[in-house]
Amino acid sequence: MAKTLFEKVWDAHIVAAETADTPAILYVDLHLVHEVTSPQAFSELRERGLKLRRPDRMLATLDHSTPTLPTNADGSRPYANADAQAQVAQLESNCREFGVELHGWDSADRGIVHVIGPELGATQPGMTIVCGDSHTSTHGAFGALAFGIGTTEVGHVMATQCLLQRKPKTMAIHVDGHTPAGISAKDLILHIIGTIGVDGGTGYVLEYRGAAIEALSMDERMTVCNMSIEAGARAGLIAPDETTFEWLKGRPRVPQGAAWDVAVATWRALRSDDGARYDREVRIDAGAVKPTVTYGTHPGMAIAMDAPVPAATNAQERRALDYMQSKPGQPMQGTPVDVVFVGSCTNSRLSDLREAARVLHGRRIAQGVRMLVVPGSEAVRRDAEREGLHHVFTDAGAEWRVPGCSMCIAMNGDLAQPGQLVVSTSNRNFEGRQGKGARTVLASPATAAASAIAGRIADPREYATQEQAA
Amino acid sequence: MKPITRLHSRTAVLADENIDTDRIIPARFLTTTTREGLGKLCFHDWRYQTDGSDNPAFPLNRPEARGCSILIAGRNFGCGSSREHAPWALLDYGIQAVLCSEIADIFRGNALKNGLLAIVIDELEHRWLLKHPGIELAIDVREQFIALPDGGRIPFALEPFARHCLLHGVDQLGYLLQHSDGITFYEQHHQEQAA
Ligand code: SF4
């Protein structure tokens, strides 16, 4: 019978099939760990006298609570508070005690968990990947079944390498046509979530398909899959293809030599069979996507920046518009901006920084605007500095930081003040997400950079590159 | 986990749709390394005013909402993060059940694993409950219905394994550990993927 990509990966990881009374036992190939959602799971293991079943299938990093400012003169780190420091110290000691590979402060590969997994080649097609973090869906860009789990389940995977799971439903999102010039993957995924809704994917695993998806680079595919959870979906997948193999080849953890060819042959067979059936199918016209931003307090409240903000239809929407100070009937374009954040596991890879730098090159950000650029990993930071991107940012008046989640979740001290409007390349515009009372507008790196220059939400297409301007 | 067969309480209502995990517990409080004591941080930025006093506009601060352990919430409750801090905070705050026409997947799974009854009910009945805060409900986990004061019943579906675990206080990790042989068999017979 014809199978979808999801079904192929799911079926290959069944330890015990599901029955009417019991969920399936699903084997996990890769377990990613960070400091926020793991301490209670390690404690539970310790209390029960359990060991890790497969520490070799775990990979840990420090990202959420970590400062993005360089070390102090005395070598100490500028943590936001003692709790953040203690949380990081606890992951360091847990990894030592339990024998888990940690990319800590001294690692040349440290970074946001969803950025370093792929970079190291730990993320591979056909795998099951979990992490105590909802944006684990990012890894679906490689054709892996990757999803976020809670801390209790983190403990389950630590002790048994397995999870109890009911099989989710599948939804195909066909993205037909071509995205117009100057339109990014971020615009596309915001458009998709704006179309299907913030709960449109609840209960489903999404598979993004079609010409516009196949044309995306791996970085762009990660941006798309990253935000699947913002439509309520458990996971988002894209079939692995030559773009995927090319990107992964030679990375530290992928098979090498003859084993590589064998792996690629297996991965090629993962794509959904012709005639495979999905529980639901949606069609999106890529040609209709414009620079897209959010105007409310969840990612489903997204529209083209030049389109009028829709009127509230209920009390919640009214509350959201009030909080954001968004005005029905008027476009978001032109709204004054206080802070611009380029970073997060959605948009902190080299190509994202290049996009922002392309717009900023030779220009300065508007007076009174604060702009933070936070690379997703040490590797991204190195590559960006090799290209001189950091100079473009600092010359423009932006701050160039050390890798971490930073203002995406604002738990490390990088945050906006009450009432400030932040144009952010991250993935969540919830109330207070970037600081109590802060107002978040989600956007692409190019839109973020253009808005920093204009001091208002601006269309990046109006900022031609240096070459084009000359 | 303690077995749960029945729960009764008056209801409190938070009618907003899409109440996300950042509203349930703001991210800046996630530096904790334990599960305990998160109740005082539950709904923090909504519940308190900037000077730290109670916000009178927060529905759960009203006198009639105090002590209610059944929450009727607007559609798509618990969306956002996978942080289990959200159900931990709700339970510690005193909420033992959330009734809603749609609940975010990861949150619902996390909640049930901690004995927080995250129950999806029909849209019509949900709408009615949203409009009638403070009524006395009894949730019967075994028979899967909610009893109304007038004797009416609202049936609900519960994934059979989750129901079994709630009723018997089953430790899911213990259940998984019983399958160790099967897991070893799987590891031996499936071509090991490089990790
Ligand atoms: S960058 Fe943001 S979304 Fe990504 S892992 Fe960090 S906190 Fe989560």
Side-chain angles (χ1 to χ4, degrees):
Chain A
M1 208 186 77
K3 281 184 176 183
T4 63
L5 164 61
F6 160 76
E7 286 166 323
K8 292 181 192 184
V9 182
W10 174 269
D11 290 352
H13 290 86
I14 296 299
V15 172
E18 73 181 310
T19 68
D21 292 333
T22 53
I25 298 181
L26 188 74
Y27 195 78
V28 171
D29 292 320
L30 176 66
H31 182 195
L32 301 165
V33 173
H34 63 77
E35 70 273 29
V36 179
T37 52
S38 65
Q40 296 86 352
F42 278 114
S43 301
E44 166 116 19
L45 247 60
R46 207 176 283 116
E47 280 157 28
R48 297 173 71 139
L50 294 167
K51 289 201 308 251
L52 298 176
R53 184 179 175 97
R54 295 295 299 267
D56 58 319
R57 289 185 175 275
M58 291 172 73
L59 186 65
T61 187
L62 305 173
D63 52 7
H64 283 65
S65 306
T66 52
T68 58
L69 287 165
T71 44
N72 298 319
D74 64 359
S76 64
R77 305 235 167 229
Y79 282 98
N81 53 53
D83 283 351
Q85 185 162 8
Q87 193 174 55
V88 166
Q90 188 150 353
L91 183 59
E92 290 171 335
S93 72
N94 280 333
C95 287
R96 259 195 313 275
E97 178 186 340
F98 285 89
V100 178
E101 178 178 334
L102 169 68
H103 289 278
W105 286 117
D106 54 359
S107 165
D109 300 314
R110 192 188 65 81
I112 303 174
V113 63
H114 310 308
V115 177
I116 71 165
E119 271 175 3
L120 293 169
T123 300
Q124 294 169 22
M127 279 185 164
T128 45
I129 302 178
V130 300
C131 176
D133 192 288
S134 55
H135 292 96
T136 309
S137 59
T138 313
H139 308 263
F142 293 82
L145 175 60
F147 52 90
I149 55 177
T151 297
T152 299
E153 290 177 314
V154 168
H156 292 178
V157 180
M158 285 177 170
T160 69
Q161 205 57 33
C162 288
L163 279 174
L164 292 164
Q165 291 283 307
R166 286 283 176 194
K167 191 173 178 175
K169 293 179 285 182
T170 53
M171 186 190 305
I173 301 199
H174 302 275
V175 189
D176 305 316
H178 298 283
T179 37
I183 298 302
S184 72
K186 183 63 162 289
D187 298 308
L188 173 62
I189 188 63
L190 285 172
H191 175 84
I192 291 174
I193 300 167
T195 307
I196 70 172
V198 68
D199 54 0
T202 304
Y204 293 94
V205 164
L206 312 180
E207 183 184 333
Y208 303 96
R209 306 166 51 89
I213 296 297
E214 285 164 26
L216 298 177
S217 70
M218 286 319 296
D219 283 7
E220 292 171 318
R221 292 180 190 186
M222 284 188 258
T223 300
V224 169
C225 288
N226 173 275
M227 291 197 69
S228 305
I229 180 73
E230 307 311 334
R234 212 59 220 287
L237 288 162
I238 294 175
D241 59 10
E242 298 312 311
T243 306
T244 321
F245 311 142
E246 180 82 5
W247 195 94
L248 281 173
K249 194 166 189 198
R251 297 202 175 252
R253 287 181 166 227
V254 300
Q256 313 285 340
W260 168 258
D261 298 326
V262 174
V264 169
T266 321
W267 295 341
R268 257 201 200 104
L270 286 169
R271 63 167 37 258
S272 295
D273 298 328
D274 293 338
R277 296 174 66 102
Y278 300 85
D279 296 299
R280 199 184 147 195
E281 304 200 30
V282 173
R283 298 206 95 89
I284 302 280
D285 173 13
V289 182
K290 291 179 157 184
T292 303
V293 294
T294 56
Y295 61 92
T297 53
H298 66 66
M301 300 177 88
I303 41 163
M305 67 162 73
D306 62 359
V309 168
T313 56
N314 58 39
Q316 286 79 48
E317 286 176 14
R318 216 163 297 128
R319 179 189 158 101
L321 294 186
D322 283 353
Y323 181 88
M324 288 302 296
Q325 300 168 32
S326 298
K327 297 189 186 55
Q330 289 183 21
M332 289 303 285
Q333 191 167 356
T335 307
V337 171
D338 302 296
V339 180
V340 172
F341 172 63
V342 175
S344 88
C345 56
T346 315
N347 283 123
S348 64
R349 297 176 195 85
L350 188 62
S351 57
D352 299 312
L353 303 187
R354 281 182 183 153
E355 271 298 289
R358 187 179 53 75
V359 174
L360 283 171
H361 193 146
R363 299 191 169 99
R364 284 200 58 86
I365 64 175
Q367 196 137 43
V369 171
R370 175 181 186 214
M371 180 174 186
L372 245 69
V373 184
V374 187
S377 69
E378 289 295 343
V380 171
R381 176 158 80 135
R382 272 193 304 279
D383 290 346
E385 292 187 352
R386 199 170 297 133
E387 291 182 13
L389 301 184
H390 59 316
H391 291 310
V392 176
F393 298 128
T394 50
D395 289 351
E399 298 172 46
W400 173 243
R401 294 292 189 92
V402 171
C405 296
S406 181
M407 208 185 268
C408 172
I409 188 162
M411 53 181 296
N412 73 332
D414 297 343
L415 46 80
Q417 299 308 310
Q420 284 192 323
L421 188 119
V422 190
V423 175
S424 177
T425 67
S426 55
N427 43 50
R428 285 191 175 142
N429 52 341
F430 298 152
E431 268 185 38
R433 170 87 173 179
Q434 299 193 292
K436 191 172 177 177
R439 300 178 293 144
T440 302
V441 173
L442 302 177
S444 71
T447 295
S451 305
I453 297 165
R456 298 171 172 277
I457 295 175
D459 187 333
R461 295 173 301 183
E462 288 166 16
Y463 292 80
T465 63
Q466 200 68 347
E467 297 77 37
Q468 288 164 326
Chain B
M1 201 173 76
K2 283 201 302 281
I4 304 170
T5 49
R6 231 178 131 75
L7 171 70
H8 64 92
S9 161
R10 275 179 304 111
T11 62
V13 170
L14 280 181
D16 284 33
E17 292 179 3
N18 306 309
I19 294 177
D20 57 73
T21 47
D22 280 76
R23 276 174 95 186
I24 300 170
I25 178 164
R28 62 183 185 282
F29 300 127
L30 302 186
T31 49
T32 174
T33 51
T34 63
R35 295 167 189 250
E36 286 81 37
L38 298 179
K40 59 183 182 298
L41 305 173
C42 196
F43 297 116
H44 187 280
D45 293 352
W46 195 0
R47 174 175 160 197
Y48 304 112
Q49 312 197 87
T50 21
D51 64 0
S53 62
D54 284 356
N55 172 13
F58 178 59
L60 303 191
N61 280 342
R62 297 203 191 109
E64 65 273 19
R66 306 261 172 183
C68 294
S69 54
I70 299 179
L71 178 67
I72 316 293
R75 204 169 55 91
N76 200 26
F77 185 81
C79 61
S81 154
S82 63
R83 65 185 71 144
E84 210 158 306
H85 307 70
W88 294 338
L90 286 163
L91 281 164
D92 194 45
Y93 179 53
I95 303 292
Q96 292 173 274
V98 180
L99 310 186
C100 193
S101 61
E102 196 177 303
I103 303 181
D105 277 344
I106 306 183
F107 173 84
R108 192 167 40 126
N110 285 340
L112 292 171
K113 284 192 181 62
N114 285 276
L116 173 65
L117 301 176
I119 292 175
V120 176
I121 51 174
D122 200 68
E123 219 178 300
L124 269 180
E125 283 141 349
H126 180 231
R127 229 176 290 154
W128 188 86
L129 285 173
L130 282 171
K131 287 202 191 101
H132 296 83
I135 61 165
E136 190 80 31
L137 295 182
I139 302 175
D140 189 318
V141 178
R142 190 184 306 276
E143 303 300 330
Q144 297 181 223
F145 68 81
I146 300 161
L148 297 164
D150 65 0
R153 286 182 170 195
I154 302 173
F156 62 84
L158 200 55
E159 195 276 308
F161 186 72
R163 172 173 167 273
H164 172 78
C165 292
L166 288 167
L167 287 174
H168 303 284
V170 171
D171 161 33
Q172 296 193 6
L173 177 51
Y175 173 87
L176 271 171
L177 285 165
Q178 285 169 11
H179 288 78
S180 292
D181 291 348
I183 301 169
T184 305
F185 182 87
Y186 176 89
E187 285 176 332
Q188 286 165 349
H189 290 81
H190 285 75
Q191 184 203 338
E192 288 268 311
Q193 295 223 23

